[in-house]
Every structure is written in C-alpha cells, then in structure tokens.
Amino acid sequence: MLFRRTDDTFRVAARLLALGTGLAMVLAIGLYAQEAAGQAQKGAKKGRPGEGNTQPQDEYGFNQIFDGKTLTGWDGDPTYWRVEDGAIVGQNNPQIKANTFLIWRGGTPGNFELRLSFRLDGWNSGIQYRSSELPQSKWGMKGYQADMTGVPFNQGVTGNIREEASGSDARRAFAALRGQFTYIAEGKKPQLVGSLGQESELRAILKDPPEWNDLQIIARGYTLIQVINGRVMSIMVDDDLPFRKADGLIGIQVHTGQPMKIEVRNIRIKML
C-alpha cells in the first residue's frame, strides 16, 4: 500500500473532497478504499475472505528516454555530465557559480508518470519536471523539482516537492515537504491537507549509497505525487493559477556549492 493508514484517514479524505478538484476527489475515494482494504486484510488474517488482489505496477506503456550508453536526446554542459556504467553522472567539479541541468529534449510532458533510479553522494540535486529554461542562464531551469540531498545531510530534503528558481515568490519554494500532502490556493502558502507518515519512518525508506533509490513522479492535472521505493513521500494539489504549470521540460540538476555527484539510470516515461 502506498499510503500508510493512520487514525486521520477519514479526516484527510474529507479535506480532499472539500478541495473540489477532480483528482483530489479520486484520491479521497482512494483513501476510503485503502481503509476498507486494510480491514479486508485484517479479516483475511483471521480466516475470513479478503480482497487483497492488487499487484505491483507493471511497465506497460513506458518508454526508455536514456539509452544507457550516450547522452543522445539530452542537452547539457559536457563539462559536468557524462555516462558511466549505464548511468547518467553529473558532478560539480570543477565548481560552478549557478545550478546547471541536463535537459531531456524529447518533449514537454503534461500528464505522465516518470520512473528512474538514482543515488546521490554529497550535497544536493533534483529531478525537474513541468519546467522551463531560464532565459538568462544557459542550461538553467525553473519549475517543479523532486528535491534530494545526500547522506552527509541525512537526505534531509529527499522526497520534497520543490519549486526550483522560485525567485521572489518564496512561498512556493518548498511546496510539500517529505511526509506532507499539501494544497496551494491562488496567492496562498501551501496548506497541509494531511500526513503521509512520520519523518523517522519515511527516512528509513531511503537507501544510502552505494544502493540505489527508485523514484516515481506522477503528474496528472494539477496534482503531483512523488514516490520513493514504493512509498508515497509527498503530494501537492496546485490551484495557484498564475504559477502552476500544465507541462514542461524534464531535467537533472548539478547543484552549486559543496561537492556532489548524482547518478541516474533506467529512466522511462509513460504519458497519461
């Protein structure tokens, strides 16, 4: 189960219904269904018939967007990007003055699911989606980001939904922290809809190098869901009309500042 059942399940579902957006209502129904499934599983353990008939997600409809050998279809500063052992590798050596990105040039997806594996040594990185290029900075990007930090920083922001290069509109910089389900109304700060789990519990899901983490990003309508290693880490419903994005570029970040090395492999996408 992607969500962790808590005593607040019905309260969170009620708030989702109050949002009034189509996908929010679907998520609310999903929470109710999850509660019922949990009860069914309990019944099955006691010898009563259960309905635990769900299966792991398959790969139907997904297309690889990285060939594992070259950077064909991707665009970035070759000083900082290379392919090594079947993975895209980005490293801020030599040091950079501003964040730089490797941009996928295969389209500007709107509704999609993106799956990949990553591991991060050192400082900070992220996966951009529904993003655009900064006009004043070649290979610079702004937009939604699956944020991440490395082990020296206890992976403190890994799983967050961030607004990269949010500029003067700092209220959107941290749109949903790990463990949060948030809602952003027009001109407002993120509002907490409900919890997706305790911090210590979610941190334990994350793997430290040399192990790899599996990331899923689901963007449908104006609802964003980020899943790591099979566990939902953050959800945001974005009704901030002047700033929300319906589609955009995908990219990988090399971050300025302290040393970092990001590796990403098995990148595939499915349009929804």
Side-chain angles (χ1 to χ4, degrees), residues 165-227:
S166 56
S168 59
D169 195 10
R171 67 188 174 84
R172 292 179 57 91
F174 296 96
L177 303 182
R178 183 168 68 213
Q180 290 185 342
F181 186 159
T182 63
Y183 171 72
I184 305 183
E186 186 170 348
K188 303 293 185 181
K189 293 181 179 180
Q191 303 170 44
L192 183 63
V193 176
S195 171
L196 301 173
Q198 298 297 317
E199 168 57 27
S200 59
E201 176 188 18
L202 296 176
R203 173 60 181 91
I205 298 293
L206 304 175
K207 299 176 182 179
D208 298 334
E211 293 188 84
W212 293 80
N213 289 287
D214 293 323
L215 172 66
Q216 294 170 258
I217 298 171
I218 302 170
R220 189 165 190 145
Y222 293 101
T223 298
L224 312 176
I225 304 171
Q226 294 183 176
V227 182

Side-chain angles (χ1 to χ4, degrees), residues 74 80-81 88-92 96 98-103 119-120 123-129 134 139-149 157 162-165 250-256 260-264:
W74 296 80
Y80 303 103
W81 298 101
I88 292 174
V89 179
Q91 203 164 0
N92 61 358
I96 53 177
N99 297 340
T100 188
F101 296 81
L102 183 70
I103 304 170
R119 63 183 179 189
L120 172 63
W123 172 217
N124 185 281
S125 185
I127 305 298
Q128 294 296 132
Y129 56 102
L134 293 173
W139 297 306
M141 299 185 80
K142 63 178 181 178
Y144 300 126
Q145 181 189 92
D147 203 0
M148 57 186 74
T149 44
V157 303
R162 173 176 166 75
E163 180 92 8
E164 172 70 14
I250 290 171
I252 309 169
Q253 182 187 57
V254 159
H255 205 290
T256 186
M260 54 75 61
K261 177 184 177 183
I262 180 67
E263 299 172 85
V264 184

Side-chain angles (χ1 to χ4, degrees), residues 14-263:
R15 289 187 181 181
L16 282 169
L17 290 169
L19 293 181
T21 61
L23 189 51
M25 296 179 73
V26 170
L27 287 167
I29 294 169
L31 282 174
Y32 279 122
Q34 173 180 297
E35 183 74 13
Q39 296 300 324
Q41 288 178 344
K42 287 183 180 179
K45 290 178 181 178
K46 295 178 181 179
R48 297 194 300 268
E51 296 182 5
N53 61 346
T54 58
Q55 299 177 356
Q57 288 182 295
D58 58 29
E59 291 287 320
Y60 178 79
F62 281 86
N63 294 303
Q64 290 280 347
I65 60 174
F66 166 53
D67 63 18
K69 300 177 181 179
T70 71
L71 293 178
T72 300
W74 296 80
D75 179 26
D77 188 335
T79 304
Y80 303 103
W81 298 101
R82 65 185 186 274
V83 176
E84 192 173 274
D85 297 327
I88 292 174
V89 179
Q91 203 164 0
N92 61 358
N93 184 20
Q95 189 55 258
I96 53 177
K97 294 182 179 180
N99 297 340
T100 188
F101 296 81
L102 183 70
I103 304 170
W104 181 57
R105 295 299 186 186
T108 54
N111 294 330
F112 65 89
E113 180 177 348
L114 180 70
R115 297 181 183 179
L116 57 85
S117 297
F118 74 91
R119 63 183 179 189
L120 172 63
D121 283 317
W123 172 217
N124 185 281
S125 185
I127 305 298
Q128 294 296 132
Y129 56 102
R130 287 191 181 178
S131 293
S132 58
E133 296 179 73
L134 293 173
Q136 72 276 18
S137 176
K138 189 174 184 180
W139 297 306
M141 299 185 80
K142 63 178 181 178
Y144 300 126
Q145 181 189 92
D147 203 0
M148 57 186 74
T149 44
V151 173
F153 306 92
N154 197 34
Q155 297 206 48
V157 303
T158 304
N160 289 3
I161 299 175
R162 173 176 166 75
E163 180 92 8
E164 172 70 14
S166 56
S168 59
D169 195 10
R171 67 188 174 84
R172 292 179 57 91
F174 296 96
L177 303 182
R178 183 168 68 213
Q180 290 185 342
F181 186 159
T182 63
Y183 171 72
I184 305 183
E186 186 170 348
K188 303 293 185 181
K189 293 181 179 180
Q191 303 170 44
L192 183 63
V193 176
S195 171
L196 301 173
Q198 298 297 317
E199 168 57 27
S200 59
E201 176 188 18
L202 296 176
R203 173 60 181 91
I205 298 293
L206 304 175
K207 299 176 182 179
D208 298 334
E211 293 188 84
W212 293 80
N213 289 287
D214 293 323
L215 172 66
Q216 294 170 258
I217 298 171
I218 302 170
R220 189 165 190 145
Y222 293 101
T223 298
L224 312 176
I225 304 171
Q226 294 183 176
V227 182
I228 298 180
N229 299 330
R231 180 65 183 272
V232 174
M233 292 286 170
S234 53
I235 303 176
M236 179 180 70
V237 177
D238 195 352
D239 276 347
D240 194 8
L241 271 67
F243 297 96
R244 67 185 187 179
K245 292 89 179 171
D247 55 31
L249 297 167
I250 290 171
I252 309 169
Q253 182 187 57
V254 159
H255 205 290
T256 186
Q258 300 185 46
M260 54 75 61
K261 177 184 177 183
I262 180 67
E263 299 172 85

